[in-house]
Amino acid sequence: MRVMVTGGAGFIGSHVVEALRARGHEPVVYDVRTDPAADVRVAGAVRDALSGVDAVCHQAAMVGLGTGFADAPDYVSHNDLGTAVLLAAMEETGVGRLVLAGSMVVYGEGRYSCARHGVVRPGPRAVADLAAGRFEPLCPVCGAALSPGLVGEDAPVDPRNVYATTKLTQEHLAAAWARSTGGTAVSLRYHNVYGPRMPRDTPYAGVASFFRSALARGETPRVFEDGRQRRDFVHVRDVASANVAALEADTARGALTAYNTGSGTPHTVGAMARALASAYGGPEPVVTGEYRLGDVRHITADSSRLRTDLSWKPEVTFEDGMREFAAAGLRGD
């Protein structure tokens, strides 16, 4: 299969390219890092690049939480306009298979249970609570403590920031394209991806990159809130293999299928920081109590549907992955 990988020179995209080659496919890298004209928002360039292509693996995006709402036009332009242009070009050129880099951020907060009221959906955390160090969401009915759990793909979506909103819009666009064209569309809702070639410390980098960059500078990793927020840290090679599995799968036509893509083993942010610092041999992390508006407290999802439907499973353990990441280089972008 000849597969165009948008963002194929980036962090995740470059690993997808390697995984495709290892499976005997022919990846076509479409990325502004290697060719300034390779912008998914430029219809003519996208149409030309799709010549002879069988499928598209769409990794190109502006990622991360950003630095404020002023970033919104850039996020919408890169992520949503870019996806719309790409999908229109795919329809025009007859390319009918898409795998989209989705994100677990579309869920907002994770799944919570109250002892009295069962599964509940807490709203965004109040600034006053965050400032006072009250980080755990409470039951919206009775105000009691909640137990976090795993989110399934059928859970209601609730994007809490601009980036999350654009990732959900990408899925809606892909679903509309699939219905209109009869194409196949899969969204892999990535969890916290980490590993070699991760971008170094930028406003848009993931938490693992922030900690790794601090250690490289000889600085102490700074953990927000109390460090007990739960995430699923999944290795980039496992994410790449999920992309290949989705491209090769006999997926239903005319609809979007979403799959949570995580390791299946939640860890706290504090535990990840300690594991990375230990593997690097750097200073112990410090828990700051600081917070960022738009961050959620706990978000870990059930990835069993991906394992069952596509016979995929993660291969890199948390411990091995953190040791490798501690020794790996970071990208400069």
Side-chain angles (χ1 to χ4, degrees):
M1 192 177 352
R2 194 163 191 256
V3 182
M4 186 168 92
V5 183
T6 69
F11 168 42
I12 298 175
S14 65
H15 287 275
V16 172
V17 166
E18 291 177 356
L20 285 166
R21 286 200 183 108
R23 288 284 295 176
H25 299 295
E26 180 187 355
V28 177
V29 174
Y30 191 82
D31 196 308
V32 291
R33 296 173 183 84
T34 55
D35 179 1
D39 189 326
V40 290
R41 297 169 294 179
V42 180
V46 174
R47 283 195 302 270
D48 291 344
L50 286 169
S51 177
V53 163
D54 302 300
V56 172
C57 188
H58 186 29
Q59 305 294 317
M62 186 174 176
V63 301
L65 184 59
T67 57
F69 200 82
D71 291 330
D74 283 341
Y75 275 107
V76 172
S77 176
H78 285 88
N79 298 355
D80 297 337
L81 175 61
T83 298
V85 171
L86 172 65
L87 293 170
M90 289 174 65
E91 179 181 33
E92 186 175 341
T93 56
V95 179
R97 181 174 288 272
L98 172 75
V99 173
L100 172 69
S103 175
M104 54 82 186
V105 296
V106 300
Y107 297 118
E109 284 285 355
R111 186 179 188 273
Y112 293 89
S113 296
C114 172
R116 291 180 57 193
H117 298 100
V119 175
V120 294
R121 292 182 55 78
R125 294 178 293 171
V127 173
D129 287 336
L130 293 169
R134 296 187 293 267
F135 301 120
E136 293 288 346
L138 300 177
C139 177
V141 181
C142 67
L146 298 174
S147 298
L150 300 179
V151 180
E153 287 90 348
D154 297 328
V157 291
D158 184 17
R160 298 283 177 91
N161 55 56
V162 171
Y163 170 64
T165 301
T166 65
K167 296 307 290 183
L168 182 58
T169 300
Q170 284 185 311
E171 289 193 355
H172 288 320
L173 289 167
W177 167 84
R179 286 193 297 271
S180 174
T181 65
T184 65
V186 172
S187 177
L188 298 176
R189 290 175 176 170
Y190 300 159
H191 276 261
N192 290 70
V193 186
Y194 74 97
R197 298 177 221 148
M198 196 172 191
R200 69 177 63 254
D201 200 359
T202 76
Y204 308 99
V207 63
S209 174
F210 277 113
F211 295 161
R212 176 63 177 77
S213 296
L215 290 166
R217 296 191 301 269
E219 298 174 1
T220 299
R222 296 173 56 82
V223 179
F224 279 13
E225 301 188 16
D226 58 4
R228 296 186 182 128
Q229 54 271 50
R230 288 158 46 102
R231 299 291 188 268
D232 185 329
F233 298 98
V234 59
H235 195 277
V236 66
R237 285 196 300 275
D238 287 331
V239 168
S241 71
N243 275 271
V244 176
L247 285 163
E248 295 177 343
D250 185 17
T251 309
R253 304 186 68 85
L256 175 90
T257 304
Y259 291 108
N260 293 329
T261 308
S263 72
T265 307
H267 291 84
T268 67
V269 172
M272 185 274 287
R274 290 191 296 272
L276 187 58
S278 176
Y280 190 84
E284 278 287 304
V286 60
V287 176
T288 67
E290 297 173 6
Y291 63 89
R292 295 194 307 177
L293 285 177
D295 275 349
V296 296
R297 179 60 175 172
H298 303 295
I299 176 64
T300 54
D302 182 354
S303 300
S304 59
R305 181 184 290 181
L306 178 60
R307 296 173 184 241
T308 300
D309 289 2
L310 303 187
S311 300
W312 169 89
K313 65 176 182 178
E315 301 289 346
V316 183
T317 67
F318 177 77
E319 294 76 16
D320 288 345
M322 286 298 155
R323 280 192 292 269
E324 180 194 24
F325 186 44
L330 297 175
R331 297 174 62 96
D333 48 352

